């Protein structure tokens, strides 16, 4: 015993200490170069797939920097940052390493400019054009080929220097940059309503027709960094939490009222494009809250959402349309309850064959429903009834109003979706604390134990599918009214995936999470329409990054956050509950 | 009349016969134990009773009704509750919610009523919460109702699992290694608690246990399994002196001399003390 306990550490550390000491600087250098090369690949990729030229059309700060340049700078900066992260070294060494890594990435871009201006590679790389070289060299052309190199070294070195700053300062800077990006991108969205209000002078000062003005950029940076710093040093949230409940309510109630007013007046004065976008976002918030019952409470990953969405939409179409295939010409409000009930019945029937399927398999199986309904709706079989690819048109608006009314166009859909979302949130809240809600959570936690406790899995799961389907049907009904028509091509698997992803990105089981998720995954891509297909590139990147960095979602509910903190979410209950178990 | 009768129960996993032609019965209001070396088929037999496994042959009759073809929830409705060897609480529900969900079968409110918040639902919920608080008090967790089950100390988790099982108002309670991972003081407490359960509520209790001090202290009948077969059955005294049992625990040849036996089986030896300690619970 004494031999092993004394000998083990000695033999264990001695060779590794002697072995790794000389090897350290080598692997260290290699790491810098490797990161630099990786950065080069990413920067080249951004240029070659055409992201930089397309993003260049959108200014971030008017006349100073475009989104395309910002994306490129960011990739160079990130290269330097990653290369120097988690390395304990002298400050000059860190800056040098960052500069080497960033410079390496820049060299690749410089080489691209040089090679590209000598040899025309546009035949197989259509984006390697003089326009791109202009962006890379600040319009100097081949003469300025050294610019990306120098820029990479400077930005990389800067990133190494940032690594030296205190975490608080670093976070403040990060917040400042994020704010700059966000406000620069959504300048139009903020500027339009401001112009209509008495603050139009301020709007012109801060926002250009596209992007921020230079003054605006400085104001945003100073304000966001300052506010963040204030919050960090004063711990406003802790001060707030320390207040007695009566005082806390005195602050909370006006804030909630303010938020409510904001939500209510939001679509007014935004113009028809933005109004349409926020109506769609509100619709997805409503559908997200609906799926949250199936997915968040009962833990059933139901990707057949779009099937019931279609049932709701077609039911409303059939019952209200004034054109061909319309059978009743009912008002929207009479058709909605029918649509919900029909969707519920479909939910119960489609739930039956998948009762015993669990987890990932369930997602695949339910995905089939959406496809079945989509194919059926577009098929010749259902053509006499549903119109096939031509669909059902002339679905009237829920409320007939003059075009300049507060409820005109997509605005009324926005309000209807808000009411629907409030209704669903209320139902979910009531169910959460009921016998059925507890049974759902128990099934989510441990299906076998739940059944052994006396929970009828068949009944309970069918109810989850039925309620999920009911709210999906409601979503479809509102969608039909928003668009005014319903086609087989509207029944896309992407609807199911969007709704599921927005819940996961936002934070499962949390209402604010669903709202934030819908804004991020539905609203943003709509606002970036000019970037066409690239939107989905970023959608994908955002999903991967989210799952890596914040698997619990942006604004998770208190319970989900606890689950992730305790590591109880993914592991089998045995290991999470009893570290002492034999 | 026995509360539960198992006749010629056989459960196989591929080529392995986990429970082999087992006959077993437990009297109403008694405390019985299943013991045996690891892999003897004890937990498998539990799983057969509770409907986790479908048996290949035989019959299990509970209170005059065959249950071997019923679903787990139907078996629970008849009044059989269980706990698990490795605690299986709903880790992300509070202690209170765990007990509330345990009462599932005995609550009657519909989901529509719950959404509308009708009077009958509110009364039902009120009763359920009162009952849950009562059970929390009963297992000594009165101040811990709002804690997440996963945040409770180990012993409390064991007791909460029993409370969740009790919420179903069982007539037969299956406890799978209720003192696993407990120190002697805790397991003594758990022993008292199990006896208290039977005396207060009249619940029939069947337990699997490795801790001989516990087994010998509270069981009225002990059944010994080995390779899925019953090799002995009887009172604690009978089991301690059974040569087959000693052989199963220590291997062939160990059952030779009686003197060797007493020193070679610490677990069984300790049971003598355990039995006497168990018979004077007032001292604890």
């Amino acid at each position: 015993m004494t031999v092993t306990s004394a000998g083990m550490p000695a033999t264990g550390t001695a060779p590794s200490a002697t072995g790794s000491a000389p090897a350290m600087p080598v692997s260290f250098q290699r790491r810098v170069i490797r990161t630099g090369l990786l950065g080069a690949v990413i920067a080249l990729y951004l240029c070659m797939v055409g992201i930089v030229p397309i993003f260049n059309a959108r200014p971030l700060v008017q006349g100073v920097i475009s989104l395309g340049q910002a994306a490129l700078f960011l990739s160079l900066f990130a290269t330097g940052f990653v290369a120097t992260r988690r390395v304990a070294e002298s400050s000059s060494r860190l800056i040098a390493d960052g500069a080497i890594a960033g410079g390496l990435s820049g060299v690749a871009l410089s080489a691209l400019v040089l090679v590209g201006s000598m040899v025309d590679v546009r035949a197989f790389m259509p984006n390697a054009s003089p326009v791109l070289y202009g962006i890379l060299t600040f319009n100097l052309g081949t003469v300025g080929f050294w610019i990306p190199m120098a820029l990479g070294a400077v930005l990389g070195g800067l990133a190494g220097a940032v690594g030296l700053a205190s975490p608080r300062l670093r976070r403040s800077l990060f917040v400042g940059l994020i704010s700059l990006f966000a406000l620069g991108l959504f300048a139009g969205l903020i500027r339009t309503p401001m112009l209509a209000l008495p603050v139009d002078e301020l709007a012109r000062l801060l926002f250009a027709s596209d992007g921020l003005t230079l003054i605006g950029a400085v104001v945003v940076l100073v304000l966001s960094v300052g506010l963040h710093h204030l919050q960090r040093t004063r711990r406003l949230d802790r001060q707030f939490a320390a207040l007695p409940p009566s005082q806390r309510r005195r602050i909370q109630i006006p804030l909630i009222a303010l938020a409510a007013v904001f939500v209510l007046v939001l679509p007014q004065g935004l113009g028809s494009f933005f109004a349409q976008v926020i109506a769609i976002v509100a619709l997805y918030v409503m559908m997200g809250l609906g799926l949250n019952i199936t997915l968040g409470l009962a833990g059933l990953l139901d990707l057949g959402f779009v099937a019931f969405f279609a049932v709701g939409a077609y039911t409303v179409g059939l019952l209200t349309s004034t054109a061909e295939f319309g059978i009743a010409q009912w008002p929207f409000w009479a058709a909605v309850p029918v649509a919900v009930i029909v969707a519920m019945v479909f939910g119960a029937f489609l739930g039956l064959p998948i009762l015993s399927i669990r987890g990932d398999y369930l997602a695949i199986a339910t995905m089939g429903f959406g496809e079945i309904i989509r194919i059926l709706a577009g098929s010749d079989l259902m053509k006499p009834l549903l119109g096939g690819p031509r669909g059902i048109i002339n679905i009237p608006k829920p409320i007939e109003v003059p075009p300049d009314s507060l409820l005109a166009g997509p605005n009324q859909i926005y309000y209807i979706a808000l009411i629907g979302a409030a209704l669903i949130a209320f139902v979910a809240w009531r169910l959460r604390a009921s016998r059925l809600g507890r049974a759902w959570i128990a099934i989510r936690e441990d299906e076998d134990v739940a059944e052994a406790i006396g929970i009828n899995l068949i009944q309970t799961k069918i109810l989850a599918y039925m309620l999920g389907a009911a709210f999906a049907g409601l979503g479809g009904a509102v969608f039909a009214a928003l668009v005014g028509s319903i086609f087989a091509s509207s029944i896309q698997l992407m609807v199911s995936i969007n709704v599921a992803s927005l819940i996961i990105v936002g934070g499962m089981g949390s209402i604010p999470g669903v709202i934030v998720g819908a804004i991020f995954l539905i609203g943003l891509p709509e606002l970036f329409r000019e970037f066409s297909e690239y939107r989905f590139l970023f959608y994908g990147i955002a999903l991967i990054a989210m799952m890596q960095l914040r698997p619990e979602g942006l604004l998770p509910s208190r319970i989900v956050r606890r689950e992730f903190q305790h590591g109880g979410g993914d592991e089998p209950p045995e290991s999470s509950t009893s570290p002492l178990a034999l | 009349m026995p509360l539960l009768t198992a006749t010629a129960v056989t459960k196989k996993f591929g080529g392995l016969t986990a429970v082999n032609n087992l006959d077993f019965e437990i009297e109403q209001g008694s405390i019985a134990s299943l013991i045996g070396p690891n892999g003897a088929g004890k937990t498998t037999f539990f799983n057969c009773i509770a409907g986790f496994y479908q048996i290949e042959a035989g019959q299990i009759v509970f209170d005059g009704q065959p249950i071997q073809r019923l679903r787990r929830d139907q078996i629970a409705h008849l009044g059989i509750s269980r706990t698990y060897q490795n605690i299986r609480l709903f880790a992300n529900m509070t202690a209170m919610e765990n007990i509330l969900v345990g009462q599932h079968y005995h609550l009657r409110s519909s989901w529509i009523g719950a959404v509308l918040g009708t009077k009958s639902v509110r009364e039902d919920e009120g009763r359920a919460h009162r009952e849950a608080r009562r059970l929390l008090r009963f297992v000594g967790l009165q101040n811990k109702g709002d804690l997440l089950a996963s945040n409770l100390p180990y012993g409390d988790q064991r007791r909460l699992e029993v409370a969740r099982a009790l919420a179903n108002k069982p007539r037969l309670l299956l406890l799978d290694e209720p003192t696993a991972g407990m120190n002697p003081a805790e397991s003594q407490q758990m022993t008292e608690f199990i006896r208290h359960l039977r005396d207060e509520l009249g619940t029939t209790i069947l337990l699997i246990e490795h801790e001989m001090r516990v087994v010998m202290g509270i069981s009225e009948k002990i059944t010994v399994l080995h390779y899925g077969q019953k090799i002995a059955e009887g009172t604690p005294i009978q089991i301690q002196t059974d040569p087959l049992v000693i052989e199963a625990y220590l291997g062939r040849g160990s059952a030779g001399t009686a003197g060797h036996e007493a020193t070679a089986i610490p677990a069984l030896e300790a049971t003598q003390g355990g039995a006497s300690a168990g018979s004077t619970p007032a001292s604890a």
Side-chain angles (χ1 to χ4, degrees):
Chain A
M1 279 305 279
T2 46
V3 176
T4 48
S5 62
M8 275 295 274
T11 50
T13 50
S16 68
T18 49
S20 62
M24 257 298 266
V26 175
S27 66
F28 188 29
Q29 279 301 336
R30 215 182 272 159
R31 170 193 156 117
V32 169
I33 290 171
R34 204 168 47 209
T35 315
L37 289 178
L38 188 71
V41 171
I42 292 173
L44 279 178
Y45 179 78
L46 286 176
C47 293
M48 302 313 273
V49 300
I51 289 176
V52 170
I54 287 196
F55 279 18
N56 203 46
R58 175 83 75 103
L60 203 57
V61 180
Q62 187 125 55
V64 180
I65 183 171
S66 76
L67 189 58
Q69 285 166 323
L72 210 55
F73 292 176
L74 212 60
S75 88
L76 294 173
F77 185 84
T79 307
F81 188 73
V82 172
T84 54
R85 202 177 47 150
R86 290 196 202 135
V87 184
E89 271 295 337
S90 65
S91 52
S92 54
R93 181 66 192 275
L94 277 181
I95 295 173
D97 280 344
I100 293 170
L104 256 176
S105 303
V107 166
L109 296 176
S110 294
L112 174 70
V113 174
L114 272 181
V115 173
S117 43
M118 283 183 263
V119 191
D120 191 5
V121 290
R122 261 189 288 179
F124 50 97
M125 280 188 207
N127 286 311
S129 62
V131 177
L132 176 67
Y133 308 145
I135 298 166
L136 290 177
T137 59
F138 293 89
N139 294 326
L140 283 179
T142 322
V143 198
F145 77 94
W146 52 272
I147 288 180
M149 245 188 309
L151 205 62
V154 170
L155 284 169
L158 209 61
V162 164
L164 294 171
S166 74
R168 185 183 288 173
L169 181 65
R170 217 157 45 196
R171 203 162 303 160
S172 291
L173 276 175
F174 181 70
V175 168
L177 278 178
I178 292 279
S179 315
L180 196 66
F181 258 88
L183 286 168
L185 284 176
F186 304 121
L189 189 61
I190 305 164
R191 187 174 182 253
T192 319
M194 276 176 88
L195 285 177
L197 296 170
V199 287
D200 56 326
E201 283 302 318
L202 184 67
R204 283 199 191 88
L205 185 69
L206 298 180
F207 300 107
S209 59
D210 226 352
L212 290 160
T213 59
L214 192 55
I215 298 172
V218 172
V219 168
V220 165
L221 258 181
V222 169
L223 265 185
S224 57
V225 172
L227 279 177
H228 182 253
H229 194 69
L230 198 70
Q231 141 72 11
R232 297 286 301 176
T233 46
R234 291 285 158 82
R235 307 299 325 202
L236 290 177
D237 50 343
R238 281 201 200 150
Q239 279 185 25
F240 178 72
L243 287 177
S246 60
Q247 280 194 40
R248 229 184 308 174
R249 216 164 302 137
R250 213 173 297 158
I251 303 175
Q252 261 168 349
I253 290 176
L255 279 180
I256 292 172
L258 203 67
V261 170
F262 175 74
V263 167
L264 285 177
V265 302
L266 184 60
Q268 305 301 337
L270 269 187
S272 63
F273 172 68
F274 288 129
Q276 178 94 11
V277 170
I278 63 164
I280 291 175
V281 169
L283 179 65
Y284 270 95
V285 167
M286 184 178 111
M287 297 200 290
L289 290 172
L291 185 63
N292 216 355
I293 292 182
T294 332
L295 178 59
L297 285 184
L300 302 167
L301 184 49
D302 181 359
L303 286 184
F305 195 86
V306 73
F308 312 112
F309 174 88
V311 169
Y314 270 106
T315 309
V316 162
L318 286 173
L319 291 177
T320 62
S321 170
T322 52
E324 200 187 353
F325 305 115
I327 51 172
Q329 301 186 10
W330 286 7
F332 174 77
W333 300 102
V336 166
V338 180
V340 169
I341 290 167
V342 173
M344 234 169 151
V345 172
F346 266 76
F349 273 110
L350 291 181
L352 280 174
I354 53 167
L355 277 174
S356 58
I357 305 174
R358 294 186 191 187
D360 320 349
Y361 307 103
L362 183 68
I364 307 292
T366 49
M367 224 158 78
F369 294 154
E371 288 303 285
I372 291 173
I373 299 271
R374 181 178 67 85
I375 306 269
L376 264 184
S379 69
D380 286 342
L381 179 74
M382 300 298 279
K383 201 172 178 185
L385 203 62
L386 302 178
R390 277 196 301 150
I392 300 173
I393 53 166
N394 278 5
I395 298 171
K397 290 273 169 258
I399 311 162
E400 290 302 336
V401 285
D404 55 345
S405 140
L406 290 179
L407 291 178
N411 285 358
Q412 57 174 279
I413 301 297
Y414 172 78
Y415 291 118
I416 290 171
L418 276 191
I419 295 167
L423 183 83
I424 295 171
F426 176 77
V427 170
W429 171 64
R430 275 287 172 85
L431 285 180
R432 168 75 178 77
S434 77
R435 173 176 179 262
L436 179 63
R438 288 190 297 262
W440 279 340
I441 299 170
I443 288 180
R444 185 190 73 194
E445 296 272 304
D446 191 332
E447 199 171 309
D448 297 327
V449 175
E451 192 181 22
I453 261 174
I455 293 169
N456 184 331
L457 292 183
I458 302 172
Q459 250 178 32
T460 313
K461 282 185 172 182
I462 290 281
L463 264 174
Y465 289 124
M466 268 173 70
L467 284 174
F471 295 131
L474 184 61
V478 176
F479 173 81
L482 170 70
V483 182
S485 53
I486 177 76
F487 309 101
S489 58
S490 318
I491 321 297
Q492 292 296 336
L493 178 63
M494 260 328 262
V495 175
S496 296
I497 293 178
N498 272 333
V499 177
S501 331
L502 76 87
I503 292 179
I504 292 166
V505 166
M508 231 186 266
S510 123
I511 294 172
V514 168
I515 296 170
V516 170
I519 291 172
F520 263 78
L521 292 185
I522 311 299
L524 290 195
E526 291 290 332
L527 291 180
F528 290 120
R529 275 213 176 270
E530 72 220 63
F531 303 141
S532 60
E533 293 303 312
Y534 294 112
R535 288 182 295 157
F536 296 102
L537 186 76
F538 286 99
Y539 187 94
I541 292 175
L543 285 188
I544 295 170
M546 273 301 300
M547 292 302 99
Q548 280 279 352
L549 301 173
R550 253 184 106 89
E552 74 271 34
L554 288 168
L555 291 175
S557 73
R558 222 166 351 116
I559 296 158
V560 175
R561 197 175 315 151
R562 279 189 310 215
E563 287 173 25
F564 274 90
Q565 277 164 5
H566 295 288
D570 297 334
E571 294 162 39
E574 293 93 78
S575 55
S576 63
T577 50
S578 56
L580 286 167
L582 298 175
Chain B
M1 185 192 150
L3 181 63
L4 179 106
T5 314
T7 330
V9 168
T10 299
K11 173 71 201 169
K12 292 178 186 164
F13 296 105
L16 175 81
T17 308
V19 176
N20 193 356
N21 205 23
L22 179 68
D23 292 324
F24 177 83
E25 47 180 63
I26 182 165
E27 289 297 326
Q28 178 97 44
S30 66
I31 300 180
S33 297
L34 278 178
I35 64 170
N38 285 329
K42 306 179 297 285
T43 299
T44 306
F45 182 56
F46 257 37
N47 282 334
C48 295
I49 299 176
F52 278 63
Y53 294 151
Q54 292 291 315
I55 55 178
E56 265 84 42
Q59 197 180 28
I60 304 173
V61 175
F62 178 73
D63 196 25
Q65 188 181 348
I67 57 170
Q68 70 271 18
R69 291 282 168 267
L70 296 183
R71 286 196 317 267
R72 280 176 287 212
D73 55 315
Q74 294 169 321
I75 292 171
H77 296 172
L78 289 176
I80 299 180
S81 287
R82 67 170 296 183
T83 66
Y84 302 84
Q85 190 174 349
N86 28 33
I87 303 172
R88 287 173 83 171
L89 286 165
F90 300 121
N92 296 306
M93 294 170 97
T94 64
M96 184 81 171
E97 285 171 328
N98 265 281
I99 299 182
L100 285 172
V101 80
Q103 299 179 50
H104 186 83
Y105 177 62
H106 298 279
L107 303 180
R108 279 287 157 260
S109 58
S110 74
W111 67 271
I112 296 177
V115 170
L116 299 176
T118 58
K119 190 154 172 272
S120 72
V121 168
R122 272 178 288 143
E123 284 170 1
D124 206 31
E125 280 292 300
R127 265 196 305 276
H129 278 80
R130 275 194 299 280
E131 170 72 6
R133 275 193 293 274
R134 193 185 70 77
L135 280 168
L136 279 174
R137 243 190 337 270
F138 185 72
V139 298
L141 296 174
Q142 48 272 20
N143 299 321
K144 299 181 175 171
D146 292 331
L147 293 179
L148 276 191
S150 56
N151 288 354
L152 289 174
Y154 183 71
D156 286 355
Q157 291 195 7
R158 283 263 173 227
R159 280 203 294 274
L160 178 59
E161 209 186 21
V162 176
R164 184 182 68 184
L166 289 176
N168 185 36
K169 303 190 172 71
R171 295 161 64 200
L172 173 63
L173 183 59
L174 308 173
L175 300 174
D176 198 341
E177 295 195 27
T179 69
M182 287 186 173
N183 64 33
E186 283 174 327
S187 83
Q188 177 65 27
Q189 236 183 349
M190 184 50 98
T191 312
E192 297 305 327
F193 176 68
I194 294 169
R195 201 199 313 275
H196 178 66
L197 271 182
R198 195 268 309 265
D199 295 347
E200 289 278 300
L201 308 172
T203 315
T204 311
I205 293 168
L206 173 61
L207 59 143
I208 293 175
E209 190 50 75
H210 277 300
E211 183 62 56
M212 287 303 151
R213 194 183 291 270
V214 175
V215 175
M216 299 297 165
I218 58 171
S219 313
E220 279 138 28
K221 190 181 81 172
I222 298 172
T223 305
V224 188
L225 296 187
H226 190 41
Y227 289 119
Q229 279 172 314
K230 180 159 80 178
I231 57 167
E233 191 164 54
T235 63
I237 304 293
Q238 286 167 341
I239 294 301
Q240 284 171 58
T241 51
D242 192 308
L244 273 175
V245 177
I246 294 156
E247 188 186 309
Y249 269 88
L250 294 173
R252 193 170 296 276
S254 306
T257 63
H260 182 65
E261 226 174 81
T263 46
I265 316 172
L268 291 185
E269 191 202 356
T271 58
Q272 316 279 6
S276 54
S279 61
T280 53
S283 64

